[in-house]
Amino acid sequence: MARRTSGDALRTMLEAAGPILEQYDPEVILSLSRFTEQLPSVMNQITQGTSEFKPSPSENRETIKTRYTVPMTLLVKFSFDTIDETDQLEEILRPCVDAVGGTLSKVVLNGTHVTPCGQVSVKLSFLISSK
């Protein structure tokens, strides 16, 4: 079904949900819209056999080492995530963030790799105050 759903149909669904989404931050709506636009292409790639991320994790790590300049970085790790790479990412990011005089914080939350896909409300003030 997802493969047959066109980008136009997904956009129409997003527009129909507009009154419900109006209560959310415009940035959230923009992010959801961009996600929706990518879905048909991603589903097509999966149906054609794509099973790996591109760029690969090692290519991403190399790019991060040379290009990451975000001064305030928050890493979120989940307690029951068997494919988590947060600790390795922290090691790579630390020198990058230090080089720009920034801060790097990490929090560990209860959950799994798919927890962010759920509708669990996490107070931002908790995340910011936890280091």
Side-chain angles (χ1 to χ4, degrees):
M1 178 181 158
R3 183 170 60 142
R4 293 187 307 247
T5 304
S6 72
D8 290 340
L10 289 170
R11 257 189 302 285
T12 301
M13 288 172 42
L14 186 60
E15 289 170 5
I20 297 168
L21 296 173
E22 285 177 357
Q23 64 185 332
Y24 294 98
D25 186 305
E27 192 170 318
V28 171
I29 296 170
L30 178 62
S31 179
L32 181 59
S33 177
R34 289 179 178 160
F35 168 77
T36 302
E37 289 171 0
Q38 294 176 27
L39 258 167
S41 172
V42 170
M43 294 308 293
N44 188 40
Q45 290 174 26
I46 291 170
T47 59
Q48 292 178 9
T50 300
S51 62
E52 297 297 323
F53 291 106
K54 289 184 184 177
S56 69
S58 61
E59 290 169 323
N60 278 332
R61 286 189 285 274
E62 287 305 311
T63 300
I64 290 167
K65 286 178 185 178
T66 59
R67 295 183 158 202
Y68 194 83
T69 60
V70 178
M72 293 182 64
T73 301
L74 173 65
L75 298 176
V76 178
K77 179 177 182 164
F78 290 94
S79 56
F80 304 105
D81 187 345
T82 58
I83 60 173
D84 179 76
E85 296 184 359
T86 304
D87 295 333
Q88 297 91 324
L89 184 57
E90 181 180 22
E91 289 177 23
I92 294 167
L93 287 175
R94 177 83 47 206
C96 302
V97 173
D98 288 346
V100 296
T103 59
L104 174 63
S105 301
K106 177 173 68 172
V107 295
V108 179
L109 302 176
N110 285 329
T112 67
H113 193 73
V114 297
T115 296
C117 298
Q119 295 183 354
V120 177
S121 175
V122 178
K123 292 188 178 190
L124 187 57
S125 60
F126 167 77
L127 292 175
I128 292 173
S129 64
S130 298
K131 288 188 179 185

